[in-house]
């Protein structure tokens, strides 16, 4: 059974850091691209980043460049999202998603992703 499980969310003060994890099971991570998306209260889901786990190539939405870092540990079948200099606007449920082929991950098209986790909540207080 294919599963993605996010963890690492929580309540943090503005300026702080968090590291989110996305643990994959039921498939080999380096055959997929893994995207991070987030959904703030009352807003649409937003693409954050993508990593091609076979070679570590990454891509980010402009609003998080320089603060978010995505990485993978293929031996652990886990992808990480390091979030630094957190802002209240970063408050959202963060999801990871997997894509076997195509360009949805790179282009940020959530509808094209194959598998989704259930999300982890990040709350940033001012």
């Amino acid at each position: 059974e294919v599963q993605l499980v996010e963890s690492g969310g929580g309540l943090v003060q503005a300026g702080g850091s968090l590291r989110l994890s996305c643990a994959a099971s039921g498939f080999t991570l380096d055959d997929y691209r893994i995207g991070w998306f987030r959904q703030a209260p009352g807003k649409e889901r937003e693409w954050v980043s993508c990593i091609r786990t076979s070679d570590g190539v990454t891509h980010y939405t402009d609003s998080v460049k320089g603060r978010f870092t995505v990485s993978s540990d293929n031996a652990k079948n886990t992808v990480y999202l390091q979030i630094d200099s957190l802002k209240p606007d970063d408050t959202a449920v963060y999801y990871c998603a997997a894509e076997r082929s195509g360009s949805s991950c790179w282009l940020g098209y959530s509808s094209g992703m194959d598998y989704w986790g259930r999300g982890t909540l990040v709350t940033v207080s001012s």
Side-chain angles (χ1 to χ4, degrees):
E1 179 188 6
V2 171
Q3 267 196 321
L4 293 169
V5 179
E6 303 92 337
S7 61
L11 174 63
V12 64
Q13 286 190 329
S17 298
L18 280 175
R19 189 176 79 157
L20 308 184
S21 298
C22 171
S25 60
F27 66 96
T28 302
L29 197 61
D30 55 10
D31 289 339
Y32 286 75
R33 287 171 290 278
I34 302 297
W36 284 95
F37 296 77
R38 66 184 179 182
Q39 187 164 17
K43 295 187 177 180
E44 293 187 353
R45 190 168 296 185
E46 173 191 25
W47 171 74
V48 173
S49 71
C50 179
I51 183 169
R52 188 166 62 203
T53 54
S54 59
D55 59 10
V57 174
T58 59
H59 187 38
Y60 301 90
T61 191
D62 285 346
S63 64
V64 308
K65 285 180 180 177
R67 298 192 300 120
F68 287 29
T69 305
V70 62
S71 62
S72 68
D73 184 336
N74 290 5
K76 294 183 178 180
N77 237 34
T78 300
V79 171
Y80 304 98
L81 183 68
Q82 176 70 35
I83 310 176
D84 298 318
S85 302
L86 276 156
K87 305 174 181 179
D89 284 350
D90 295 320
T91 295
V93 177
Y94 284 72
Y95 301 89
C96 63
E99 178 190 31
R100 180 69 185 267
S101 62
S103 56
S104 291
C105 188
W106 295 121
L107 297 175
Y109 294 156
S110 60
S111 60
M113 304 302 288
D114 297 314
Y115 305 109
W116 286 86
R118 301 183 73 170
T120 186
L121 176 62
V122 172
T123 304
V124 184
S125 62
S126 56

